[in-house]
Amino acid sequence: MIIKMARIRVLGPRAMLGATVRALQDRGVVHLIDGAPLEGLRRCDLDPIGRRRRRNVMRALGDVEAALDGLHQLGASVADHGGPPPPEARAARLAGRLAAEVGRLRSREQALRDERDQLAAYEPLFADLDELVRAGATRQVSIFLLRLRSAAALDALRAALERALGDAVELRAHALASGEAVLLLLVPATRAQDIERILSEARVERAPLPPVLANTPLADALPRMRPRLAEVVRELHRLRDDAAALARVHGDDLSRARRGFHDALLALDAEDHAAASARAFVLEGWLPVRDRDELVRACATAVGPEIAVEEIAQDEWRGDDAPVVLANPPLFAPFEVLSSLLPLPRYGTVDPTPFVAMFFPMLFGVVVGDVGYGVAIAVLAVVLRLATPRARDLARIAGAIAIYTILFGVLYGELFGDLGTRWFGMSPLWFDRREAVLGFLMLAIALGLVHLVLGLGIAAASRWRRDRREAIGRGLTAIMMLLVAVALLALFQRVPAGLLTPAVIALLVALPIVVVLEGATALLDFMTILGHVLSYARVMALGTASVMLAIVANRMHGAFGSAAIGIAFALVFHLVNFAITLFSPTLHVMRLHYVEFFGTFFEPGGGPYRPLRHWSPEAAGQPRS
Amino acid sequence: MESLWVPLAAAIAIAVTALATGWAQSKIGASIAASLAEKPELRTTAVLMIAIPETMVVLGFVIAVLILLRVG
């Protein structure tokens, strides 16, 4: 349901604007707006001191975010033990110092990581290098350390070198995971110039050395590469320990400072909504009616008796302007996840969540209707609930779906298709979907009729206060739908045939009245709703397909020579059917709600409720109330 | 002869509507994919738009069933 809102006006001495905004922020219930223009008041722009403070707060917040982000990147976890934020000036100094320090750590870490990656590429050659150093070969021959972009080019290079130098050249190569190759080339010092020429012609580049070894001759640098890699790794560990120590000492301060700076910015933004004269200010906003009295008391206590909070009479504001807050009982609340996929309903209209909660699981159950699949969905719901606490709402929806699936499974006498019948002698308590195809179709269409007539009834009730003509039109359309159903039932002799003529006459009388009330489009609307009723036939189509797939899965048991293979195939097929069962009916039942059902009464266009409150990381990206 | 025409009629009823649904969804799907690239918040509308033509094949299925059961 949509919570009833009140529009309020807060008035007080200009000097108390900041304190009042902080009091409103502490309560966290007022959605501030730019109020209607009042004589003698103008928009309350920040003075130069306020503007400078905003700049300072934004800069300090930038430092805090940079420091926290940097610590996170360095693998340090930052605690937030709660508590009040530190004083702004101290927090800003701390943030500036830490942002610079963390920035230095990050730059150093990046340089070390680059060097580590560079050295790690030569690691496969370290054993060869050690061997050469031990043998003193590095002083007797010319050494080339090369890196090829493609391992395929290695063969071409090897062939070119052998052609030019024969056995005088020694080549040791290793392919890297990246597809590149590193190679060590040893040639007699007298042939070094020939090698230079060949490498130049083949456009083969020398492998770069890390900056600390860049100016060292290769013969001296090679023996130092392995110890340098170990040193870099040790230094990286030390650097991360330093970051962790910083987070341990200052992390809590930084987290509290972040909250404080965000709160300060929110309060400064809120002051922009105020209208003010030289001596007084006015703030306007929305809040749930249930919080109104408490807010009045809180303002008087926190700021003083000079602050007046008055409610603006309902005839002075339009419902379309009010933000929308949805509040449903715990049984229905999880289904807000489904209704929230559409825009918020307009204030003063109907929240569709309770109806989704009632019909979504039921229609799903009518489609799937299988005790075995229902139990599987229930298990899935429990796993979802235990594994991911955040998916609590989803688990509850799955639980409701499971209950209806099991219930209709019992009514249809189905357990993994016809397995219940074959193994346990289950029989349908209502009807057998495999046999009564037409009956199932009638059930689906009847459900559609009930669903849409209910929607039209909701539309009539919700519009009654605003637009009597439209409300009567919606109500008459609902009656016409029922008359069509009666006429069809009479035609197929499911009800006394004598009802046919009165139903048709009533229909012919109602139709022009609806056209007069709602305009010529009412006729088109009526035909559309009739089509929407037929659209519920998908419930039968999907249900029949689901049970038939389950039966096919069961038949696989005997379709193969080996019983084990047959059972394995049957299980796989049931698994596939279960996956389809989860996806397809969900999508189609959602569609029946969004397109067919909501189309009869839902009026989107509500604005989100964003009260001025204290900042928190969880609420930061949460626009919808 | 009737034993041939009845299932054939049912098959045509569902085949034509299935083809029509597929064609409509291909057009809508391409357009919606382009829209989503620019406005990801349209995802719900996208699902609805793609689901709308499915009514055709559902009704085709119903007609096919009615033909097979020879209702009326």
Side-chain angles (χ1 to χ4, degrees):
Chain A
M1 59 182 286
I2 297 173
I3 293 284
K4 201 172 175 195
M5 303 295 280
R7 184 160 170 172
I8 56 156
R9 189 177 286 142
V10 183
L11 306 99
R14 172 83 186 248
M16 288 186 170
L17 174 60
T20 309
V21 166
R22 280 194 295 280
L24 295 180
Q25 194 172 27
D26 287 342
R27 290 300 304 157
V29 291
V30 181
H31 172 113
L32 289 171
I33 54 169
D34 293 330
L38 294 170
E39 197 177 335
L41 297 177
R42 58 183 177 78
R43 196 178 156 82
C44 183
D45 293 323
L46 287 178
D47 56 18
I49 295 174
R51 284 198 293 272
R52 192 167 63 238
R53 180 166 172 243
R54 188 199 290 268
R55 279 198 304 274
N56 290 340
V57 168
M58 287 179 78
R59 189 167 49 238
L61 182 60
D63 287 343
V64 170
E65 298 282 11
L68 285 171
D69 183 55
L71 288 173
H72 177 71
Q73 299 290 335
L74 289 166
S77 59
V78 177
D80 184 354
H81 301 304
E88 260 178 34
R90 187 169 79 79
R93 281 197 301 276
L94 177 73
R97 185 167 65 77
L98 288 179
E101 199 166 334
V102 171
R104 276 195 298 278
L105 286 178
R106 284 211 62 197
S107 306
R108 180 71 187 135
E109 194 232 11
Q110 189 58 51
L112 287 170
R113 280 159 61 112
D114 290 346
E115 187 175 349
R116 183 195 61 188
D117 294 345
Q118 208 172 16
L119 286 167
Y122 306 129
E123 203 170 7
L125 294 173
F126 283 169
D128 296 336
L129 288 171
D130 286 347
E131 188 190 318
L132 292 172
V133 170
R134 272 198 303 275
T138 52
R139 303 286 172 197
Q140 297 159 9
V141 294
S142 288
I143 302 172
F144 295 85
L145 188 61
L146 308 170
R147 192 162 178 165
L148 293 178
R149 296 201 183 282
S150 154
L154 184 60
D155 292 336
L157 179 65
R158 194 191 299 273
L161 289 170
E162 281 177 3
R163 270 199 308 276
L165 298 161
D167 293 339
V169 63
E170 187 175 346
L171 184 68
R172 300 186 187 188
H174 287 276
L176 300 177
S178 62
E180 293 176 303
V182 285
L183 47 144
L184 197 62
L185 194 62
L186 289 98
V187 291
T190 52
R191 308 299 300 272
Q193 283 187 343
D194 295 337
I195 293 296
E196 294 274 14
R197 181 178 47 78
I198 291 170
L199 294 179
S200 172
E201 284 171 4
R203 295 178 188 276
V204 175
E205 293 174 8
R206 301 286 180 96
L209 288 175
V212 290
L213 301 175
N215 298 324
T216 313
L218 193 57
D220 297 329
L222 292 178
R224 289 169 57 188
M225 284 169 76
R226 190 199 287 266
R228 177 63 193 159
L229 178 59
E231 192 186 326
V232 167
V233 171
R234 275 197 303 276
E235 201 172 335
L236 267 173
H237 282 301
R238 270 200 305 276
L239 192 140
R240 284 179 184 156
D241 288 345
D242 290 349
L246 267 184
R248 219 169 21 251
V249 176
H250 298 295
D252 184 46
D253 280 343
L254 279 177
S255 298
R256 286 186 295 125
R258 177 167 63 167
R259 276 192 280 114
F261 288 134
H262 273 294
D263 279 353
L265 278 181
L266 287 171
L268 287 168
D269 289 343
E271 286 184 28
D272 283 349
H273 288 291
S277 67
R279 295 175 186 278
F281 77 87
V282 177
L283 277 166
E284 278 191 29
W286 298 95
L287 83 166
V289 168
R290 64 187 177 198
D291 295 319
R292 181 187 49 201
D293 296 340
E294 183 55 37
L295 180 83
V296 173
R297 274 195 296 274
C299 279
T301 311
V303 190
E306 298 91 339
I307 300 300
V309 180
E310 62 175 25
E311 184 172 349
I312 300 173
Q314 277 202 20
D315 51 5
E316 289 183 41
W317 51 267
R318 296 186 317 138
D320 289 357
D321 298 333
V324 172
V325 190
L326 302 182
N328 285 290
L331 199 63
F332 296 158
F335 290 87
E336 284 179 12
V337 171
L338 297 179
S339 48
S340 69
L341 293 174
L342 290 184
L344 281 166
R346 207 149 48 82
Y347 183 77
T349 63
V350 178
D351 172 19
T353 308
F355 304 103
V356 175
M358 283 187 274
F359 282 94
F360 183 85
M362 192 192 77
L363 285 173
F364 190 97
V366 173
V367 173
V368 181
D370 186 293
V371 176
Y373 290 151
V375 171
I377 295 172
V379 170
L380 210 63
V382 172
V383 171
L384 205 63
R385 177 73 181 87
L386 295 177
T388 48
R390 282 186 173 184
R392 193 182 58 183
D393 287 348
L394 215 57
R396 285 185 179 172
I397 294 173
I401 281 171
I403 290 169
Y404 274 97
T405 306
I406 293 170
L407 177 70
F408 277 94
V410 172
L411 292 175
Y412 299 150
E414 288 174 24
L415 187 147
F416 292 117
D418 60 351
L419 216 57
T421 312
R422 288 162 59 186
W423 285 6
F424 309 113
M426 261 178 89
S427 57
L429 293 183
W430 191 5
F431 65 88
D432 186 343
R433 289 198 291 181
R434 289 163 292 168
E435 304 295 331
V437 177
L438 201 60
F440 193 20
L441 177 63
M442 289 301 118
L443 169 69
I445 291 178
L447 277 172
L449 184 74
V450 170
H451 208 197
L452 296 189
V453 167
L454 174 71
L456 289 167
I458 296 166
S462 70
R463 286 162 169 81
W464 183 251
R465 279 189 174 178
R466 283 182 287 132
D467 189 342
R468 291 277 158 90
R469 278 173 76 100
E470 201 185 346
I472 295 170
R474 295 281 88 186
L476 266 179
T477 308
I479 292 168
M480 283 164 61
M481 298 296 295
L482 293 173
L483 288 172
V484 170
V486 170
L488 286 173
L489 288 172
L491 202 63
F492 288 102
Q493 295 171 347
R494 301 285 175 155
V495 295
L499 288 173
L500 177 62
T501 310
V504 171
I505 291 172
L507 201 58
L508 291 174
V509 171
L511 195 61
I513 298 174
V514 173
V515 171
V516 168
L517 288 169
E518 293 194 308
T521 54
L523 191 61
L524 184 66
D525 193 35
F526 178 62
M527 298 308 292
T528 305
I529 296 172
L530 272 181
H532 283 172
V533 172
L534 291 179
S535 179
Y536 281 72
R538 74 186 62 232
V539 169
M540 172 275 234
L542 290 168
T544 307
S546 169
V547 65
M548 289 306 173
L549 282 173
I551 290 171
V552 169
N554 294 337
R555 295 282 183 275
M556 287 192 166
H557 169 55
F560 296 88
S562 158
I565 295 175
I567 290 171
F569 266 91
L571 284 175
V572 169
F573 211 85
H574 267 300
L575 205 62
V576 171
N577 190 27
F578 181 63
I580 295 172
T581 292
L582 282 182
F583 181 71
S584 194
T586 305
L587 199 66
H588 281 273
V589 172
M590 275 168 68
R591 173 235 146 95
L592 284 176
H593 278 82
Y594 293 157
V595 179
E596 277 82 4
F597 182 54
F598 285 13
T600 54
F601 72 93
F602 184 66
E603 295 174 71
Y609 171 62
R610 294 193 177 112
L612 171 65
R613 54 169 64 138
H614 289 290
W615 182 88
S616 72
E618 296 78 26
Q622 191 183 330
R624 190 186 167 92
S625 300
Chain B
M1 196 62 182
E2 192 191 2
S3 62
L4 171 69
W5 287 114
V6 170
L8 190 64
I12 291 171
I14 197 150
V16 172
T17 50
L19 284 171
T21 299
W23 181 80
Q25 285 187 326
S26 73
K27 297 287 174 192
I28 295 170
S31 309
I32 282 290
S35 306
L36 282 179
E38 288 190 11
K39 287 190 172 180
E41 65 273 19
L42 290 175
R43 63 187 185 284
T44 313
T45 315
V47 172
L48 295 181
M49 288 293 175
I50 290 174
I52 281 173
E54 284 171 4
T55 306
M56 279 190 286
V57 72
V58 169
L59 295 180
F61 178 77
V62 171
I63 298 296
V65 168
L66 294 179
I67 291 171
L68 288 174
L69 297 175
R70 294 168 215 193
V71 175

